[in-house]
Amino acid sequence: MDVIAKLPAPLGWIVGHAPLSKNALEKRSWLSPWILVKTLDSILRGIAQAFQEPVGAIASGLTNYSAVLVGTVTASLYPVFFHLPLTLPVWGFMLLATVFSVCIGSALGSILSPFKLPYFTLPFNIATSIAFICMRAHGLAGLPEEAIGQVNVSEAVQWTEVLRGSLLSVGQVYAVETVTGSCLIIAGLFLCSPLLTVISVAGGFFASCTAVLVSSAPYSMIYAGVWGYNGFLSAGCLFFFMVPSRRLFILAVVNAIFTTFLQAAIAPVFAVSQLPVFTYPFCMSSLLFLAMASNGGMDSKRVTSLTFPEQHFIFHLKESNIEEISKMDNP
C-alpha cells in the first residue's frame, strides 16, 4: 500500500505528491473559478509532463528541483553581479532557463543511468550559466555605480532582415551567404523530404528570432544567417534520427532555441582565440536532446534503419499495426 495513503488527512493534502489535493482539483473544471489554483498546481508539479518524464520522478520533485534553483538563484544573484534590478526580460530568460534545466536533466539522466550515477545539480548549473552569459550578451548587465560611463544607443531590430537572415541560415550551413543558394538548398532538401525541410527551416527561423534575445546590436551577424544555421541543423537532426510525432516537433523547436542560447554562451570564449563557433552548438545541444528523446518516455523512438522521415513514419505505423495484430492473436 502507498505510504502516502496511510498519512492523516491533513498531511495527504501537502506531503509527497499531495494525492488529496490532486484528486480534489481533478474534480474541478478548468472553466470554473478554480482555474487559478489548477494552473498553480500544474506549474508547481513541473513542466516535465511535456517531455513524458516518469510519474515517480515528477511526484518526488526531481524533475523541477533544478528549475526551482534556477529561479531562486537567478533572482538572488542577478542584481548582485549585474548591478541592475530584475526586469521583465530577465524574468523571461529565467523562465527559459527553467525549461532548459528540465531538458538537460532528462538528457543527463539518460546518459548517466547505465552507470547508476546521479546528475546532482548539473542541470541547474548548466542552464543558469547559459542564461547569465546570454543576458550579458543581450546587454542586460550593468556596471557598479563608480564605473558607470556613457551609455551606448542601441540599434533597433529590423525584423524583415531577421526573416531574411533565417533564410540565409540555410545557405550558411555550407558557408554560402546568398538567397539564391539558400533557395536551391531548400528545393533540393524538399525533393528528399518535405517534412525535414519544414522542421529545419522552422528551426532556422526560431534560432534567428532567439538570437535577438541573446545578443546585442549591431545585429549584422543575425541578418547574415550566422545565428540561424545551428538551429536549422538542430531541429532537423531530431526529425531525422527519431520517428516524427507532434511532441517531437515541439522538442525540435526547443532544441533549436537552446542551441542558440548555447551559441551565445560559447561565442565569447571562441572569440578570444578569434574562432567562429562552427557547429559546436548544434552538436552539443542535439546530443543532449537526442539522449532525452531516446530515454523511452517520448511517444517517438529512435530510427534503426535511416532513410528519410516520411518513410520512418510509415515503417513505424506498419510496425505498430503488426504489434497490435500480434497482441490480438496472442492475448
Side-chain angles (χ1 to χ4, degrees):
M1 182 182 293
D2 188 358
V3 176
I4 298 297
K6 299 179 180 180
L7 293 174
L11 294 180
W13 290 89
I14 56 176
V15 172
H17 61 283
L20 296 182
S21 299
K22 182 175 181 292
N23 293 336
L25 289 176
E26 284 179 349
K27 299 176 183 178
R28 308 292 180 179
S29 171
W30 281 97
L31 300 180
S32 69
W34 287 89
I35 184 173
L36 294 178
V37 180
K38 288 174 70 69
T39 301
L40 179 62
D41 178 73
S42 177
I43 294 173
L44 291 177
R45 290 181 186 275
I47 63 168
Q49 289 285 8
F51 304 112
Q52 294 293 288
E53 289 296 285
V55 175
I58 299 172
S60 60
L62 294 178
T63 55
N64 60 355
Y65 173 67
S66 286
V68 172
L69 286 177
V70 170
T72 55
V73 172
T74 303
S76 299
L77 297 185
Y78 174 82
V80 176
F81 283 85
F82 284 13
H83 311 288
L84 289 174
L86 294 172
T87 59
L88 189 60
V90 175
W91 285 101
F93 275 95
M94 192 189 306
L95 178 62
L96 286 170
T98 60
V99 176
F100 294 153
S101 71
V102 177
C103 298
I104 295 169
S106 179
L108 290 176
S110 179
I111 294 171
L112 296 175
S113 59
F115 305 99
K116 297 182 180 180
L117 293 173
Y119 50 72
F120 302 113
T121 56
L122 270 176
F124 147 71
N125 284 281
I126 296 172
T128 307
S129 297
I130 291 172
F132 268 54
I133 294 173
C134 290
M135 284 190 288
R136 183 178 294 279
H138 187 56
L140 293 176
L143 296 172
E145 292 185 2
E146 62 272 14
I148 295 178
Q150 295 182 348
V151 180
N152 293 326
V153 178
S154 59
E155 172 191 333
V157 179
Q158 301 178 37
W159 288 103
T160 55
E161 289 298 309
V162 173
L163 183 62
R164 183 175 182 272
S166 70
L167 175 61
L168 289 175
S169 67
V170 180
Q172 286 287 9
V173 172
Y174 300 95
V176 175
E177 189 184 333
T178 65
V179 172
T180 303
S182 294
C183 289
L184 288 174
I185 293 172
I186 291 175
L189 184 59
F190 190 85
L191 289 174
C192 174
S193 171
L195 187 59
L196 187 60
T197 304
V198 171
I199 188 60
S200 298
V201 171
F205 170 75
F206 280 102
S208 297
C209 292
T210 303
V212 177
L213 298 176
V214 297
S215 64
S216 55
Y219 301 111
S220 56
M221 300 301 282
I222 300 176
Y223 303 155
V226 174
W227 277 89
Y229 71 86
N230 274 295
F232 175 90
L233 292 170
S234 293
C237 171
L238 293 188
F239 258 65
F240 184 71
F241 288 100
M242 303 291 298
V243 177
S245 68
R246 287 177 294 181
R247 186 176 286 113
L248 190 66
F249 181 90
I250 297 174
L251 197 66
V253 170
V254 176
N255 187 22
I257 294 173
F258 181 65
T259 295
T260 313
F261 271 73
L262 270 178
Q263 182 167 336
I266 69 175
V269 180
F270 279 58
V272 172
S273 300
Q274 295 181 317
L275 290 173
V277 296
F278 303 110
T279 57
Y280 281 110
F282 148 66
C283 293
M284 292 188 290
S285 179
S286 295
L287 281 174
L288 285 173
F289 274 73
L290 194 58
M292 177 175 65
S294 303
N295 66 6
M298 299 289 295
D299 59 357
S300 292
K301 64 179 184 179
R302 287 288 298 271
V303 176
T304 55
S305 181
L306 295 172
T307 53
F308 54 93
E310 287 80 0
Q311 193 172 58
H312 297 163
F313 183 69
I314 293 172
F315 284 168
H316 174 67
L317 289 180
K318 289 182 178 179
E319 289 178 359
S320 299
N321 290 335
I322 293 173
E323 290 177 2
E324 290 296 325
I325 294 173
S326 178
K327 290 178 181 179
M328 293 176 64
D329 293 338
N330 301 289

